[in-house]
Amino acid sequence: MICSDKEDPNNYYILILQASFFLVKYFLGYDIGSSSVKAALLDADSGKPLALTFSPASEMTIQAPKPGFAEQDPDQWWKELI
């Protein structure tokens, strides 16, 4: 799964995990972006999405300590992922 950040379409995040369970294969993809953490579960054979979710419901906070800088707390990403 390749995901792009909606604010910067040239910024891509790729994370693919594959698991087998009773000979059925799935892909689990995560997009840890600046606005939210998104996850998708796909059927590996058909590519059909089985589940999609994101967190938080509103955009995550970005701090700007000085002009030209943008920061986020990685602990917040982890909190939204679990």
Side-chain angles (χ1 to χ4, degrees):
M1 171 183 288
I2 300 175
C3 300
S4 69
D5 188 313
K6 67 180 177 185
E7 295 170 8
D8 182 2
N10 296 318
N11 195 6
Y12 292 96
Y13 307 91
I14 302 172
L15 178 59
I16 298 176
L17 303 174
Q18 184 176 352
S20 295
F21 183 72
F22 296 108
L23 303 177
V24 178
K25 293 184 180 180
Y26 302 95
F27 290 117
L28 177 61
Y30 287 103
D31 172 6
I32 301 175
S34 60
S35 62
S36 65
V37 176
K38 300 167 224 45
L41 180 66
L42 306 172
D43 179 285
D45 294 325
S46 69
K48 179 180 175 184
L50 303 174
L52 305 168
T53 190
F54 67 95
S55 182
S58 60
E59 195 167 302
M60 289 190 290
T61 305
I62 298 176
Q63 294 84 31
K66 59 185 179 178
F69 282 73
E71 298 177 354
Q72 283 187 303
D73 182 359
D75 288 335
Q76 184 180 12
W77 301 337
W78 182 250
K79 178 184 162 209
E80 300 305 334
L81 183 63
I82 55 171

